Amino acid sequence: MNILITGGAGFIGSNFVYYWLEKHPKDKIKVLDSLTYAGNLETLRPILKQIEFIEGDINNREIVSESLKNVDTLVHFAAESHVDRSVFDPSTYWQTNVHGTLALLEEAKKAGVNRFHHISSDEVYGELPLDSDAKFTEKTPYSPRPDNLYALSKAEADKIVLDFYQKTNMYITISNCSNNYGPFMFPEKFIPIIVCNLIDNIKVPLHGDGRNVRDWIHTRDHATAIDLILQKGRAGETYLVGSDNDRSNGYIAEKVVDLYGAKQNMIKHVSDRHSNDRRYAINATKIIEELGWEPEITRSNFNEGLKETIKWYKENQDWWRPLLKRKAMIMDRTKSISAYISLERETGKTKFVFGQVENSESNVPEKLDTEEHFVQQNLVRYEIVIKNLESKKWYQASPEAIKDEIKTLGINPSTFGYVEDLSSREEKIGKEKVLRLIKIDHGQPELGIYSILTWFEVESLSGIKRQEGYYSWGLGPSSGSKFLVIIRREGKITHIALRKVQKFPRGGIVYDLIGGLPRELNESLLDIVTNSLSKDLRINVLDGDASIIEMISLGRISTDSGMTNNHPSLYSILLDLSKDKYPDVQYGDLFEENEGIVLWPIQKLNELINSCDESYFLSAISRAIFNSVISL
Ligand code: NAD
């Protein structure tokens, strides 16, 4: 076999390359990888003479077509794979995961490659409730969480692959796998963070309540599954791959700490990650029964897999230490401002830092013409959303006029997020059954925020029917971001920037965070931040007025769940003001009744916390303190 493996310098791809070399020594192996921050040529160094390594982007048609010469089988791993980073830099995710996959399919077809296997993820199915035994199967409808751009882009790619199969009849298969662990895993991922932090005596961060469940599979078992699919998988079929090993993150943290021989007090709870899906679990019956796949490490001997992984990270510090310093460069839409993303080991989160990138290894991807690609991207995404909606009983029972209205809202970029949110709504909420949608009231889009009031008919257990309404945003509930801006001058933290505002339901001044809703769907966080700083604080980071030292996610907040489905993200931003820059805003510590932006002195923070009743501010400040972002 002449096999081309894309993404073979990444975590799972490289494990697959080693597996294939050992299992099929006569085959010719080519690896195509653009060596993003996640790709590492060092991983393949020991075998570089036995394979052909091509450095290149899967979107570069020329390189792809050249790489496909004399190839009969293509296994496609290349992807942007980290959910946390997708928030900062969504367009790179679309570029690689969606457009890159299409480019590979088209070039493979042209080159007469007769076998194509696409690697996907279980995240395309969304999340399962914690208190159930349900598992994903090949029949589970696609329902990626609207705020999980990684999952959305993988779902989109799968759809493109399946459509391509329908159109061309090329011999294509897909596998959707659960969370992998094993050697060569980038130290930003959960299990390596635990081990690497323990090695360096740094506390192990556990996100949120630690109850989120992932189904863990060893990369070796993933490789044997792909091998079998390549040999015996049926064209056009999807195979779910998992080792029946669903475990809570809390369990994993405790187990790894225990197997490492450390004390349980090394675990530290920190605020939740962005878009931390509740539970994934895979039913792998199809690949087991149809292809005879047998994973080596399952629930019963999971400890062995973990022990082996701990030992690997202990013995291969030369491999992972340099990766901790890696910086993934990103740019805003105008390409006029850049920042890099790196890992914060104490919170296990990605940190966003403005400044010079010393690391020449960082790649700066070309930005997409987003307007043009938006329509293409969202047509596929739209189909998934409408399919999900149509599978809901409450939607089927809704009046035709409302269904038509929803479909129209779905093709409007300003309201697509709302429809996407509707499509993931449950049939039952609490003890009440959702019967149907009865009315949609629209806010005034010209105000800049497209708000929608949605009315459902619901029924209680005792059969009482009533109307339930809630407010939503056009871009979806998770589209907003609020920033706790901490001001630093000459090395000292001096102020916190807040917005004094009268809130409609009650009146009276509250102290809110700055930031808010994005201007359009999938706007990058970098764009929202720079926009918000210049609009609210009247600070231009481009002019050197200030630099963002770091930005850390403080998780999500449901401010007033019930009345709205508002579920935005909170971030802290440490902003260094140049020596003589005084933002043109109010300074002071007086509880005055005038609206506007205020810089509140840090010495009087205690006073503000004790008198303020604004949930964004209070959540952000308490998380910032508990996560050691600031201390009082
Ligand atoms: P990874 O981030 O470790 O590796 C991805 C590799 O792809 C890197 O080597 C990177 O340099 C390369 N790459 C990225 N963009 C590229 C581009 N435009 N052109 C060429 N190469 C590019 O990811 P991983 O964890 O090894 O995941 C591999 C695949 O498996 C992905 O498709 C992912 O969606 C899927 N998957 C991963 C998991 C998991 O637990 N990690 C679970 C299920 C599915």
Side-chain angles (χ1 to χ4, degrees):
M1 194 184 275
N2 288 342
I3 187 168
L4 175 69
I5 300 168
T6 69
F11 163 47
I12 310 177
S14 61
N15 276 285
F16 184 75
V17 172
Y18 275 94
Y19 164 87
W20 202 264
L21 200 59
E22 196 192 324
K23 217 45 202 274
H24 306 278
K26 292 204 177 114
D27 287 358
K28 209 165 168 285
I29 302 177
K30 286 189 196 181
V31 169
L32 172 64
D33 196 299
S34 62
L35 298 178
T36 65
Y37 82 95
N40 191 358
L41 201 51
E42 289 314 306
T43 309
L44 300 175
R45 182 84 59 206
I47 52 164
L48 274 182
K49 289 210 170 94
Q50 291 154 271
I51 62 171
E52 184 183 343
F53 181 80
I54 304 150
E55 182 175 347
D57 192 317
I58 55 169
N59 279 293
N60 184 327
R61 301 262 178 167
E62 234 169 86
I63 293 181
V64 170
S65 137
E66 191 58 32
S67 314
L68 283 167
K69 279 195 180 140
N70 303 320
V71 162
D72 48 55
T73 304
L74 197 163
V75 185
H76 173 35
F77 290 94
E80 286 291 340
S81 69
H82 198 47
V83 178
D84 287 15
R85 293 181 191 254
S86 65
V87 204
F88 291 107
D89 195 14
S91 64
T92 307
Y93 277 68
W94 286 108
Q95 176 80 306
T96 290
N97 300 359
V98 180
H99 300 286
T101 300
L102 182 62
L104 281 176
L105 285 164
E106 289 177 351
E107 292 306 318
K109 179 77 190 154
K110 267 195 228 157
V113 173
N114 47 25
R115 190 69 182 87
F116 190 109
H117 182 66
H118 172 66
I119 307 292
S120 189
S121 157
D122 58 355
E123 299 196 24
V124 299
Y125 299 112
E127 60 181 350
L128 295 164
L130 270 188
D131 51 356
S132 85
D133 297 328
K135 295 195 172 198
F136 299 131
T137 73
E138 288 78 3
K139 294 202 171 74
T140 307
Y142 274 32
S143 186
R145 247 172 79 152
D147 56 337
N148 182 341
L149 282 160
Y150 163 70
L152 277 171
S153 64
K154 292 299 283 187
E156 194 100 7
D158 288 12
K159 180 77 179 39
I160 286 173
V161 172
L162 289 169
D163 281 356
F164 200 82
Y165 164 72
Q166 294 292 340
K167 280 188 207 130
T168 63
N169 231 359
M170 198 165 128
Y171 198 149
I172 302 178
T173 42
I174 300 183
S175 55
N176 295 73
C177 188
S178 55
N179 278 53
N180 283 233
Y181 69 101
F184 304 127
M185 194 172 197
F186 199 84
E188 70 188 349
K189 304 268 166 97
F190 186 45
I191 292 180
I193 286 180
I194 305 177
V195 186
C196 300
N197 276 14
L198 289 173
I199 292 172
D200 286 346
N201 204 22
I202 298 171
K203 292 243 175 184
V204 167
L206 182 59
H207 294 133
D209 60 11
R211 293 172 68 220
N212 297 39
V213 172
R214 301 290 179 261
D215 199 344
W216 292 94
I217 179 174
H218 196 282
T219 40
R220 230 176 10 249
D221 287 322
H222 191 178
T224 60
I226 300 166
D227 194 352
L228 268 181
I229 298 171
L230 284 174
Q231 288 173 44
K232 303 199 260 176
R234 284 179 293 132
E237 290 292 313
T238 290
Y239 295 89
L240 258 57
V241 183
S243 299
D244 192 24
N245 188 26
D246 44 322
R247 308 280 191 169
S248 73
N249 290 346
Y251 174 92
I252 300 285
E254 284 170 20
K255 189 47 92 186
V256 175
V257 167
D258 188 37
L259 293 173
Y260 186 89
K263 292 211 169 92
Q264 288 299 327
N265 67 5
M266 281 303 283
I267 299 173
K268 177 184 168 193
H269 278 268
V270 297
S271 59
D272 212 352
R273 278 174 56 207
H274 172 86
S275 185
N276 198 356
D277 286 342
R278 255 339 209 169
R279 180 170 161 261
Y280 305 134
I282 281 205
N283 176 343
T285 308
K286 180 171 168 183
I287 185 167
I288 292 170
E289 291 188 351
E290 193 181 306
L291 308 185
W293 178 62
E294 268 180 70
E296 200 186 300
I297 301 176
T298 57
R299 205 171 179 83
S300 57
N301 57 352
F302 185 33
N303 278 1
E304 300 314 308
L306 285 177
K307 276 189 209 159
E308 182 201 299
T309 308
I310 294 171
K311 186 163 173 274
W312 191 90
Y313 280 90
K314 275 185 178 168
E315 289 173 357
N316 289 279
Q317 299 192 28
D318 288 351
W319 181 85
W320 59 262
R321 285 202 184 277
L323 298 182
L324 292 174
K325 297 193 194 99
R326 281 236 172 143
K327 293 159 180 174
M329 178 101 164
I330 54 174
M331 285 198 163
D332 75 337
R333 191 163 298 175
T334 59
K335 281 196 173 184
S336 48
I337 190 158
S338 66
Y340 60 80
I341 305 170
S342 65
L343 170 75
E344 200 197 38
R345 298 177 74 184
E346 287 73 14
T347 57
K349 288 186 185 166
T350 40
K351 192 162 76 177
F352 174 85
V353 187
F354 277 65
Q356 289 298 307
V357 175
E358 310 108 47
N359 190 341
S360 58
E361 281 177 83
S362 305
N363 288 329
V364 183
E366 264 300 302
K367 283 286 162 201
L368 294 174
D369 172 4
T370 43
E371 286 299 311
E372 185 193 316
H373 284 86
F374 182 86
V375 179
Q376 282 176 24
Q377 284 165 11
N378 287 288
L379 278 183
V380 184
R381 194 164 155 189
Y382 174 76
E383 279 175 33
I384 296 175
V385 163
I386 297 299
K387 211 163 134 195
N388 284 343
L389 266 176
E390 285 173 344
S391 70
K392 309 270 174 198
K393 288 199 186 76
W394 61 257
Y395 180 81
Q396 292 160 13
S398 300
E400 289 306 316
I402 294 195
K403 288 192 207 164
D404 290 345
E405 188 178 351
I406 288 178
K407 285 184 183 159
T408 314
L409 292 173
I411 49 172
N412 177 348
S414 309
T415 44
F416 180 80
Y418 163 73
V419 180
E420 202 162 38
D421 176 47
L422 276 186
S423 78
S424 58
R425 299 227 126 217
E426 304 288 337
E427 304 278 3
K428 224 176 130 208
I429 295 179
K431 288 182 179 146
E432 286 181 317
K433 199 165 148 196
V434 181
L435 296 179
R436 62 192 179 111
L437 254 171
I438 44 180
K439 198 175 167 209
I440 298 174
D441 286 327
H442 295 265
Q444 289 165 279
E446 58 278 14
L447 292 181
I449 300 174
Y450 204 144
S451 59
I452 300 169
L453 182 56
T454 313
W455 291 100
F456 282 101
E457 184 179 38
V458 297
E459 185 180 25
S460 70
L461 281 179
S462 53
I464 296 171
K465 291 185 185 166
R466 63 181 187 88
Q467 293 184 3
E468 171 83 39
Y470 72 92
Y471 236 73
S472 187
W473 310 114
L475 295 178
S478 320
S479 49
S481 309
K482 290 278 198 173
F483 309 114
L484 177 71
V485 180
I486 304 161
I487 308 270
R488 195 172 82 175
R489 305 183 73 104
E490 296 180 44
K492 271 198 187 143
I493 291 179
T494 57
H495 293 88
I496 288 208
L498 294 164
R499 183 203 303 272
K500 284 205 289 179
V501 64
Q502 298 250 2
K503 288 238 166 160
F504 177 72
R506 201 183 53 122
I509 286 284
V510 295
Y511 286 73
D512 190 1
L513 301 179
I514 70 164
L517 289 164
R519 290 161 301 181
E520 57 190 72
L521 199 66
N522 292 352
E523 189 169 20
S524 92
L525 196 53
L526 180 56
D527 286 309
I528 305 175
V529 171
T530 45
N531 188 34
S532 182
L533 289 179
S534 67
K535 195 167 127 258
D536 291 335
L537 276 184
R538 279 160 256 157
I539 281 176
N540 191 344
V541 260
L542 280 177
D543 287 353
D545 285 351
S547 41
I548 297 178
I549 303 302
E550 64 179 34
M551 177 163 158
I552 294 171
S553 160
L554 300 172
R556 287 195 174 283
I557 172 176
S558 281
T559 37
D560 37 19
S561 53
M563 278 177 64
T564 81
N565 61 359
N566 193 10
H567 202 194
S569 302
L570 303 178
Y571 294 89
S572 69
I573 294 180
L574 179 59
L575 191 71
D576 200 78
L577 284 190
S578 60
K579 206 162 165 245
D580 34 49
K581 174 71 191 176
Y582 290 89
D584 182 19
V585 296
Q586 302 172 54
Y587 285 76
D589 53 0
L590 294 176
F591 295 96
E592 288 165 352
E593 287 298 303
N594 48 340
E595 291 190 309
I597 301 291
V598 62
L599 295 196
W600 187 277
I602 198 83
Q603 297 92 332
K604 299 241 176 174
L605 193 55
N606 199 341
E607 223 169 89
L608 182 63
I609 291 173
N610 283 315
S611 32
C612 180
D613 57 4
E614 212 281 333
S615 52
Y616 288 118
F617 168 68
L618 288 174
S619 301
I621 198 87
S622 58
R623 287 180 189 178
I625 292 167
F626 279 112
N627 290 330
S628 311
V629 174
I630 50 171
S631 55
L632 285 178

